[in-house]
């Protein structure tokens, strides 16, 4: 646990002592603010349902960039050998780095709390869907970051890691379109893998345990894949 905490602190410092967190945070917040303003003026409704949907799609593009350097940079600089030969487990390395990206995302998400504050100041929003929407945004974002962490474990090239991460997330996004073309159990099974399909209920104020379990399983599997990928390199060296 102490070793995970050490890796976590080092990665948080790497994020916030470089322009990465600030540039990506600005992109996320500018686009989120744009969608919130446009939807508020267009609908004149004290709701964030549509804003959450647009924030999720925006983060689908931001997450691979936020995670692409996590493990790929260590490999490119050769510092992974030092790290892998130290008495730190691969799980501690992957989880520590992943949690640093999650904390950075939470800072981005925390800055958007100004939107419900504005709605409460000028209207009477139903806070239930807003609370569940933020829970959904947290789970959705954490899932995207786990896929990005796995992509970063595959290569030493950060650009390739970012593109692979985005490609994987895009596939999990468009998986929800399959049931429109393929009917029956196959279409439903593929559609159930969609990372956005499981987000809809949170936007509408519904917290379904099956959707929570989907995201937790998604996170566990991709972090497990990242650990196994690094382990295979560690023992073959």
């Amino acid at each position: 646990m102490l070793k995970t905490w050490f890796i976590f602190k080092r990665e948080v410092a790497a994020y916030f002592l470089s322009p990465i967190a600030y540039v990506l945070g600005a992109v996320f917040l500018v686009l989120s603010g744009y969608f919130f303003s446009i939807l508020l003026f267009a609908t004149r409704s004290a709701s964030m349902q549509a804003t959450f949907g647009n924030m999720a799609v925006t983060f689908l593009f931001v997450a691979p960039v936020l995670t692409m350097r996590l493990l790929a940079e260590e490999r490119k600089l050769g510092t992974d050998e030092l790290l892998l030969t130290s008495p730190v487990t691969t799980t501690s390395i992957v989880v520590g780095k992943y949690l640093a990206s999650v904390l950075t995302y939470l800072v981005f998400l925390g800055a958007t709390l100004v939107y419900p504050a504005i709605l409460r100041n000028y209207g009477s929003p139903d806070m239930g869907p807003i609370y569940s929407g933020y829970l959904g945004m947290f789970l959705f974002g954490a899932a995207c970051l786990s896929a990005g962490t796995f992509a970063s474990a595959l290569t030493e090239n950060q650009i390739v890691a970012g593109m692979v991460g985005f490609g994987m997330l895009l596939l999990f996004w468009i998986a929800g379109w399959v049931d429109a073309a393929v009917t029956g159990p196959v279409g439903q099974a593929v559609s159930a893998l969609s990372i956005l399909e499981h987000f809809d209920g949170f936007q509408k104020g519904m917290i379904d345990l099956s959707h929570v379990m989907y995201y937790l399983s998604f996170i566990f599997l991709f972090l497990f894949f990242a650990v196994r990928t690094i382990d295979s390199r560690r023992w073959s060296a």
Side-chain angles (χ1 to χ4, degrees):
M1 196 68 185
L2 191 61
K3 292 165 185 171
T4 304
W5 174 244
F6 170 77
I7 299 285
F8 168 77
K9 283 199 302 181
R10 195 185 74 154
E11 285 306 317
V12 169
Y15 271 124
F16 289 96
L17 292 177
S18 71
I20 298 173
Y22 303 100
V23 172
L24 291 177
V27 170
F28 180 71
L29 293 174
V30 166
L31 290 174
S32 299
Y34 171 78
F35 290 127
F36 173 75
S37 304
I38 288 294
L39 291 167
L40 182 61
F41 285 113
T43 64
R44 298 190 180 280
S45 171
S47 166
M48 287 189 62
Q49 183 175 334
T51 302
F52 282 131
N54 286 297
M55 285 168 62
V57 173
T58 301
F59 195 68
L60 205 69
F61 293 86
V62 171
V65 184
L66 192 63
T67 54
M68 66 183 189
R69 55 162 287 281
L70 278 180
L71 295 159
E73 186 181 51
E74 300 276 8
R75 191 173 172 188
K76 183 174 184 179
L77 297 177
T79 51
D80 62 330
E81 291 184 14
L82 183 64
L83 202 57
L84 294 176
T85 53
S86 66
V88 181
T89 64
T90 308
T91 303
S92 294
I93 296 170
V94 171
V95 172
K97 286 175 175 285
Y98 166 72
L99 289 178
S101 70
V102 172
L103 177 69
T104 306
Y105 169 59
L106 281 176
V107 172
F108 297 171
L109 202 57
T112 68
L113 290 174
V114 68
Y115 308 150
I118 291 171
L119 294 180
R120 289 199 69 169
N121 195 42
Y122 294 102
S124 302
D126 182 356
M127 293 305 292
I130 292 178
Y131 293 142
S132 65
Y134 269 102
L135 174 62
M137 277 300 301
F138 168 70
L139 291 169
F140 173 85
C144 291
L145 293 170
S146 69
T149 301
F150 169 60
S152 185
L154 295 173
T155 175
E156 64 176 28
N157 187 308
Q158 294 186 37
I159 302 299
V160 173
M163 292 178 68
V164 170
F166 176 69
M168 286 193 297
L169 292 174
L170 191 60
L171 282 175
F172 276 99
W173 176 13
I174 62 176
W177 303 351
V178 171
D179 66 345
V182 181
T183 56
V186 174
Q188 291 172 1
V190 176
S191 180
L193 295 175
S194 171
I195 196 168
L196 279 179
E197 289 285 315
H198 292 272
F199 183 68
D200 285 346
F202 292 102
Q203 290 176 269
K204 297 170 183 170
M206 297 179 288
I207 299 177
D208 189 319
L209 190 59
S210 66
H211 298 317
V212 174
M213 290 307 296
Y214 166 83
Y215 284 120
L216 294 180
S217 302
F218 191 101
I219 293 166
F220 174 81
L221 278 177
F222 275 104
L223 292 184
F224 174 75
F225 292 153
V227 170
R228 294 297 297 166
T229 300
I230 295 176
D231 269 343
S232 65
R233 206 161 58 234
R234 186 176 204 171
W235 300 120
S236 63

